[in-house]
Amino acid sequence: MIDEAARIPAFDVQRWVNSPPLTPDALRGRVVLVDVWEYTCVNWIRTAPYVRAWHRDYAAHGLTVIGLHAPEFAFGKQAENIDQGIRDHGLTYPIALDNDFRVWEALGNIAWPARYLFDAGGRYVARWIGEGDYDRTEAEIRGLLLARMPDVELPPVTPEATAFVTTEQPSYADVTEETYIGTDRRVPGAVTVTGDWRERGDHVELASGTGTIALPFNAGEVNLVAQPGPSGHAAVGVLLDGHPVRAERGADVDPEGVAHVDRAAMLRLVAGASRDDHLLTLVAGEPGFRAYVFTFGP
């Protein structure tokens, strides 16, 4: 865990996007929010609207948001994948690519997503791990901006944070937990893989023919981190309880119940399913197709 007397660490990273390299000295006088993220992580994806809003509304008043990308999987180190992820998520603030986890370690970070806030003198102020607390984060940002320049006229609290505190938040109670498919972290019995698959530590890869992945779950939302094969495209059938998913299909599934995978990304497979026990079955036929982890929501 980061020491309470800590300061903004040096950004010893592989590459910057949306900005020239930034240093602690160059950031002196600015309030700094370091957002540790991973472009396929559903938990970060849910926080992204708030981070974008803080950059949008407070950058002109003294806040610098830095997105520190640390890849969970090897494909996240490839420039074309992360650059596409930055575009997909509409990120316009500075992005530092921490492929070797050097800044992650300097922060004493433990998970995605995480937010680290530093005052205008570069001193550590607060940390938030995971989703939520957006109202508290914004209140801290506003307080530090006022401390930096007491006569600054700040805009109203962002609509995103206002909606968070005024809207009933969904419960994650009894939602199926994140389910890894690779052999290193797969829980026995969590998924059933059938066909000619190469099983690796963090993924399974279809070697030939048709392969299936079957997953019992209880959740309203199901997502999958996946990667197409060498052709650059894979069509994956999505079955819910033995039938092509229709009304409950996620945003990345077409009306025929097929998910089209054209890049390494998180796919939204199921949305709005009843909170009952279900069986999700994926049917793949593209050699080289890789599946990494299922994530869920209420």
Side-chain angles (χ1 to χ4, degrees), residues 11-98:
F11 290 97
D12 183 10
V13 298
Q14 281 64 48
R15 186 165 61 98
W16 287 84
V17 180
N18 297 335
S19 172
L22 298 175
T23 66
D25 286 344
L27 292 164
R28 186 65 58 87
R30 304 278 297 179
V31 175
V32 176
L33 180 72
V34 177
D35 179 51
V36 183
W37 68 294
E38 205 281 340
Y39 83 97
T40 69
C41 173
V42 68
N43 305 102
W44 173 79
I45 289 170
R46 294 179 185 131
T47 72
Y50 304 94
V51 181
R52 290 194 299 263
W54 296 327
H55 169 67
R56 179 194 69 213
D57 288 5
Y58 297 116
H61 301 283
L63 175 69
T64 295
V65 174
I66 297 174
L68 185 77
H69 186 271
E72 183 171 10
F73 304 109
F75 62 72
K77 296 182 179 182
Q78 298 171 8
E80 64 272 21
N81 289 332
I82 183 58
D83 289 352
Q84 183 64 53
I86 291 169
R87 292 191 294 270
D88 287 346
H89 293 295
L91 309 184
T92 58
Y93 47 79
I95 302 293
L97 303 184
D98 190 25

Side-chain angles (χ1 to χ4, degrees), residues 257-277:
V258 177
H260 296 275
V261 188
D262 61 4
R263 63 193 184 282
M266 190 199 80
L267 305 172
R268 300 179 186 273
L269 302 179
V270 175
S274 63
R275 288 302 311 279
D276 300 300
D277 292 337

Side-chain angles (χ1 to χ4, degrees), residues 43-241:
N43 305 102
W44 173 79
I45 289 170
R46 294 179 185 131
T47 72
Y50 304 94
V51 181
R52 290 194 299 263
W54 296 327
H55 169 67
R56 179 194 69 213
D57 288 5
Y58 297 116
H61 301 283
L63 175 69
T64 295
V65 174
I66 297 174
L68 185 77
H69 186 271
E72 183 171 10
F73 304 109
F75 62 72
K77 296 182 179 182
Q78 298 171 8
E80 64 272 21
N81 289 332
I82 183 58
D83 289 352
Q84 183 64 53
I86 291 169
R87 292 191 294 270
D88 287 346
H89 293 295
L91 309 184
T92 58
Y93 47 79
I95 302 293
L97 303 184
D98 190 25
N99 289 351
D100 295 331
F101 286 71
R102 291 174 181 168
V103 186
W104 172 295
E105 292 176 358
L107 291 168
N109 193 49
I110 59 173
W112 299 273
R115 305 187 294 278
Y116 293 81
L117 187 60
F118 298 86
D119 68 14
R123 292 175 290 270
Y124 166 74
V125 174
R127 177 181 80 165
W128 297 268
I129 298 290
E131 300 177 46
D133 285 333
Y134 309 117
D135 53 331
R136 293 176 53 199
T137 302
E138 185 159 341
E140 289 278 7
I141 290 171
R142 293 175 67 90
L144 293 178
L145 292 174
L146 287 169
R148 168 185 178 268
M149 189 176 295
D151 59 350
V152 67
E153 292 188 12
L154 296 178
V157 171
T158 62
E160 290 82 356
T162 299
F164 173 72
V165 297
T166 57
T167 304
E168 183 178 358
Q169 299 302 308
S171 171
Y172 285 77
D174 301 321
V175 170
T176 298
E177 295 184 354
E178 188 173 41
T179 301
Y180 285 85
I181 309 170
T183 56
D184 284 351
R185 300 176 68 178
R186 185 193 303 171
V187 175
V191 295
T192 301
V193 178
T194 304
D196 185 12
W197 295 87
R198 300 184 185 96
E199 301 201 19
R200 301 290 186 258
D202 66 356
H203 67 272
V204 295
E205 177 181 322
L206 186 63
S208 64
T210 299
T212 65
I213 301 172
L215 166 81
F217 74 94
N218 189 316
E221 169 192 320
V222 185
N223 313 295
L224 172 70
V225 176
Q227 185 176 15
S231 71
H233 180 267
V236 180
V238 182
L239 307 180
L240 182 63
D241 300 325

